[in-house]
Amino acid sequence: MISLVKRFALAAVAPLLLTLGGCSEKEGSLFDVYDGEITINGITYPTSTFIGKSGGWDNADGYGYFSVTAIEKSGGANNCWYYDFGFVSSTPPKEGDDLVKKELCFYCDDTFPSTVYKSASGKVKVVDISKRDYIMVVDFQNLKMRSDEGDIYTFDGKVTVYFEEY
């Protein structure tokens, strides 16, 4: 099993590699598949699980993670930004859970090494979870995540993320 620290490190580096690898596509492509929207720091973006990253629950380690893929439409192209979250708990998430109460962390993909943000206020409610479809729907309710340096990200909106238990 991968240790919790290694899993956090992998989750932190993966978005940087994917962002640099080019999730950019021209409008009208297969990447125009959106299934929600999220407001991040006052700007609303469409989201997608089609071009998202993996997420899931590791029962052995008591650790869960998921990524929100925000699409920025600019100049005829779509750019993807990955917002990675992790949480620790003795049980997998279920409908009605507030993930903030499960030591929720956010990993910013525009810094290297990735900056870790911890919840300052707000909620992330699990609205639905489907083991059959490998998805989880989460509702960000004015979630404020703060870094040790005092930087803050604010998230609002209901999004679908890829999520499986293993």
Side-chain angles (χ1 to χ4, degrees):
M1 279 294 142
I2 297 175
S3 74
L4 186 60
V5 173
K6 286 181 183 176
R7 188 173 302 271
F8 277 128
L10 287 171
V13 173
L16 177 65
L17 296 175
L18 288 171
T19 301
L20 294 174
C23 174
S24 297
E25 291 290 329
K26 292 187 176 183
E27 287 188 72
S29 73
L30 290 175
F31 290 88
D32 280 345
V33 179
Y34 309 118
D35 49 25
E37 64 180 30
I38 190 163
T39 301
I40 303 169
N41 294 339
I43 301 171
T44 301
Y45 302 95
T47 61
S48 176
T49 53
F50 179 73
I51 53 176
K53 296 181 348 185
S54 67
W57 169 257
D58 186 326
N59 220 9
D61 289 340
Y63 174 78
Y65 62 98
F66 62 94
S67 293
V68 175
T69 304
I71 314 298
E72 177 184 29
K73 293 184 168 201
S74 174
N78 294 337
N79 296 306
C80 300
W81 299 102
Y82 300 102
Y83 296 88
D84 296 322
F85 294 86
F87 56 93
V88 179
S89 175
S90 60
T91 59
K94 63 185 181 311
E95 191 174 311
D97 280 354
D98 180 358
L99 298 180
V100 168
K101 294 179 180 176
K102 296 180 181 263
E103 299 180 44
L104 184 71
C105 291
F106 158 62
Y107 305 92
C108 186
D109 73 348
D110 63 359
T111 60
F112 186 79
S114 187
T115 302
V116 178
Y117 290 70
K118 296 184 180 174
S119 60
S121 65
K123 296 179 180 183
V124 180
K125 291 285 201 166
V126 176
V127 176
D128 188 23
I129 195 161
S130 172
K131 291 179 184 178
R132 182 178 55 88
D133 295 329
Y134 304 110
I135 61 168
M136 179 170 64
V137 179
V138 292
D139 186 8
F140 290 89
Q141 300 173 2
N142 198 32
L143 176 69
K144 292 189 186 321
M145 302 295 286
R146 181 186 312 267
S147 71
D148 287 341
E149 293 78 29
D151 296 327
I152 295 176
Y153 272 80
T154 302
F155 299 89
D156 272 306
K158 190 183 298 185
V159 298
T160 302
V161 297
Y162 180 84
F163 195 82
E164 68 176 301
E165 288 187 40
Y166 50 91

